[in-house]
Amino acid sequence: MFIEQLVNGLTLGSIYALFALGYTMVYGILLMINFAHSEIFMVGAYFGFWLLSCLPVFSPQFLPAYFLIIFILSMFGAGLLAVLVERFSYKPLRHASRLAPLISAIGVSIFLQNLVMLTVSAQSQPYPEKLSIRQFHLFGVQINSLQIFIFGLAILLMIILKIFISRTKLGKAMRAVAENHTVAQLMGINVNTVISLVFLIGGGLGGITGVLNGLYYGSIKYNMGFLPGIKAFTAAVLGGIGNIKGAMFGGFILGIVEVLAAGYISSIYKDVIAFVILILVLLFKPTGIFGEEVTEKI
């Protein structure tokens, strides 16, 4: 029972971890909370829904390539939307007070929710079932292939992101911009391009997370990003907002705690416990597990 709940928690934590990376990357660069990221997640799920509905599977042997195309197109669509949101909603407010882009993000979130509700549907949409799910019994624990796939893909994407940020020239440019915009620009780095790249990657990760969420739960809805978005934000804060490694660990910790709370206490309180964790972290360790104290020089 405990091991099965742990597996479920790791699967849910994988979704939260990928989701939280979008929040923490944007915060690391712009020091703002992109609350519209939850709607990027939702739009990514709808991109996957439309692609799965329209693109036929010609043969089971082409299934891996088929889903690879679905994920790439969903990531690109969600990432492009995130770049457009940054270009038209956040960039004009870059030198305003920190409250202005936050309000703009909430406005974009409401706009995208209502746009999908009015143009697509206000009802839940069943996700196309084109992935044959197999059940495995390992040491008396039941695990399905979708759980293994979600966990494995999440770990793979996190490793790729970590290598990209730490080893590549663009990754180093992102770290330089995160340290100081002005100094990075003086060193010849195009700050606007780097910020757009951050939104492209963060939005792409949000989009593929939306597709995984749709595959895992079997349905999507126009407001599906609200509650997972708050929990992913909680995961980012728990790990240390602005810290890539922190977002990963925060997501896994929150997923495991939520599933164990639902299994051993009550499913009614699983959301409450997640928000209690957020409150406790903000009260006693606002920098999170991997966050660092930053001293402002005046």
Side-chain angles (χ1 to χ4, degrees):
M1 175 68 177
F2 174 77
I3 302 299
E4 288 185 4
Q5 294 290 3
L6 190 62
V7 171
N8 294 332
L10 286 173
T11 307
L12 183 60
S14 300
I15 293 174
Y16 288 158
L18 284 177
F19 202 165
L21 285 173
Y23 282 113
T24 205
M25 288 182 70
V26 171
Y27 186 86
I29 294 290
L30 294 178
L31 296 179
M32 67 162 286
I33 306 299
N34 181 21
F35 282 116
H37 188 57
S38 58
E39 274 52 60
I40 304 298
F41 163 85
M42 176 267 294
V43 171
Y46 273 95
F47 275 134
F49 171 79
W50 292 322
L51 290 167
L52 287 168
S53 301
C54 297
L55 297 180
V57 182
F58 297 105
S59 173
Q61 66 183 11
F62 295 119
L63 202 60
Y66 174 80
F67 272 95
L68 179 62
I69 293 171
I70 298 295
F71 288 139
I72 290 174
L73 291 177
S74 299
M75 287 181 72
F76 179 75
L80 183 60
L81 176 61
V83 171
L84 291 174
V85 167
E86 189 279 328
R87 175 65 180 83
F88 294 105
S89 300
Y90 304 153
K91 187 177 179 181
L93 302 172
R94 198 172 291 169
H95 300 292
S97 67
R98 292 175 64 177
L99 185 61
L102 180 64
I103 295 172
S104 179
I106 295 172
V108 171
S109 174
I110 295 170
F111 171 77
L112 290 175
Q113 266 196 37
N114 284 273
L115 179 65
V116 173
M117 181 186 70
L118 294 172
T119 58
V120 181
S121 176
Q123 305 300 320
S124 297
Q125 305 287 316
Y127 225 65
E129 296 181 5
K130 293 188 178 180
L131 185 66
S132 57
I133 300 174
R134 298 180 180 179
Q135 301 292 332
F136 301 98
H137 293 273
L138 300 174
F139 307 105
V141 179
Q142 183 172 322
I143 305 173
N144 64 55
S145 57
L146 181 58
Q147 290 176 313
I148 297 172
F149 176 72
I150 291 174
F151 179 74
L153 182 61
I155 295 296
L156 177 63
L157 289 173
M158 292 173 193
I159 292 172
I160 292 172
L161 179 63
K162 187 67 178 176
I163 293 172
F164 174 78
I165 291 176
S166 60
R167 301 287 178 86
T168 67
K169 188 175 181 180
L170 284 173
K172 292 176 182 178
M174 288 168 57
R175 285 186 284 142
V177 173
E179 286 291 331
N180 191 297
H181 288 202
T182 305
V183 175
Q185 199 163 15
L186 290 172
M187 293 172 65
I189 296 171
N190 190 323
V191 173
N192 291 327
T193 300
V194 170
I195 291 174
S196 295
L197 178 63
V198 167
F199 274 87
L200 181 67
I201 295 173
L205 290 172
I208 197 171
T209 308
V211 178
L212 293 175
N213 189 83
L215 291 171
Y216 189 59
Y217 288 105
S219 66
I220 57 174
K221 197 176 182 181
Y222 73 95
N223 61 352
M224 63 177 284
F226 176 71
L227 197 56
I230 295 178
K231 291 180 181 179
F233 172 67
T234 302
V237 173
L238 175 62
I241 190 82
N243 188 296
I244 301 292
K245 180 173 66 174
M248 301 177 193
F249 279 93
F252 286 122
I253 292 169
L254 185 64
I256 291 170
V257 169
E258 183 178 325
V259 169
L260 291 178
Y264 290 99
I265 302 175
S266 173
S267 60
I268 299 173
Y269 298 108
K270 65 185 181 73
D271 295 335
V272 175
I273 290 172
F275 297 132
V276 167
I277 291 173
L278 175 61
I279 293 169
L280 291 176
V281 170
L282 290 174
L283 283 175
F284 298 106
K285 193 169 175 45
T287 57
I289 298 172
F290 295 98
E292 298 178 356
E293 295 283 353
V294 177
T295 304
E296 292 189 10
K297 298 180 179 180
I298 300 176

